[in-house]
Amino acid sequence: MYIMQTEDLDLYYGAVQALKKVNLNVEKNSVTALIGPSGCGKSTFLRTLNRMNDLIDSVKIQGKVLFENKDVYSEYDVIDLRKRIGMVFQAPNPFPMSIYNNVAYGPRIHGIKDKNKLNEIVEKSLKGAAIWDEVKDRLNKNALGLSGGQQQRLCIARTLAVEPDVLLMDEPTSALDPISTLKIEELMDILKKKYTIIIVTHNMQQAGRISDYTAFFLNGEVVENDKTENIFYKPKDKRTEDYITGRFG
Ligand SMILES: Nc1ncnc2c1ncn2[C@@H]1O[C@H](COP(=O)(O)OP(=O)(O)OP(=O)(O)O)[C@@H](O)[C@H]1O
Ligand SMILES: [Mg+2]
């Protein structure tokens, strides 16, 4: 079953077209990597999936984005949509408040007030993001005191706390050291059993290690989308092959 689909998706920033007829199907509980050279539209595409581009005035969108067969732009309330399709950004961006309050923030916004229930969600989310053991004795300390890798896992916990179905990740490890990166990669392997993950990465080894499917973007188009092993070892398009083998980008 496809949890997300785009149909002939075009996106314009003013007069400049950043996405061109993008057709992409994403299977439930899979990891899809979006790769391609800088400026080819990966982040733009990712943001169309939970309507983060709505915040940019000049954006115009044509075509369809479907989440569970319903139109993201006309059949969902945007708050509800972003609860179900969470996002983790390139630079860890915890709120300047305690570790506990970072994770409880989303659930509180969605109306959960019961202290025991919140405790439960915070613990479960931090465990889910593989950071519980490192922070359980300092939950009331400021999140900005954590290391970069810990902050990024906290941001993942914050996203998990509202129980999303899909996790969008835009280069989530590019600001991290190799050990923190490995921790996040291991975590993704666990998360994909429960969630659908769509991740932008410039790291080809990472795409190869963690993803089931890979979509290669170039100049706003999806050149090729296939099982990751096919993209890496049997690309059908010469442009994919050139990119994978490092001839450009
Ligand atoms: N807010 C914006 N306003 C105008 N143009 C934008 C905006 N955001 C992105 N663009 C343009 O849209 C195109 C795609 O950008 P996007 O950020 O999606 O690329 P990307 O593939 O994520 O690149 P990178 O790998 O460098 O992150 C680029 O030409 C970029 O300059
Ligand atoms: Mg980007």
Side-chain angles (χ1 to χ4, degrees), residues 86-112:
M87 194 152 193
V88 177
F89 299 87
Q90 179 166 6
N93 57 351
F95 304 132
M97 53 175 79
S98 72
I99 294 167
Y100 184 99
N101 285 339
N102 261 273
V103 184
Y105 189 89
R108 279 181 178 138
I109 284 196
H110 290 284
I112 299 175

Side-chain angles (χ1 to χ4, degrees), residues 83-84 117 121 124 159-165 194-195:
K83 175 176 182 294
R84 301 196 57 196
K117 181 72 191 156
I121 292 172
K124 189 172 156 208
T159 307
L160 298 184
V162 296
E163 302 194 316
D165 298 289
K194 272 180 75 180
Y195 307 91

Side-chain angles (χ1 to χ4, degrees), residues 39 41-44 47 90 170-171 200 202:
K42 304 177 298 293
S43 297
T44 298
R47 290 195 299 261
Q90 179 166 6
D170 197 348
E171 304 189 49
V200 174
H202 276 283

Side-chain angles (χ1 to χ4, degrees), residues 8 16 35 53 66 81-83 86 97 102 128 134 141 155-156 215 227 233 242:
D8 287 340
V16 179
I35 63 167
N53 291 314
L66 303 178
L81 182 79
R82 294 203 191 121
K83 175 176 182 294
M97 53 175 79
N102 261 273
E134 288 158 73
K141 292 264 154 55
C155 291
I156 294 173
K227 290 204 166 123
Y233 300 111
D242 286 351

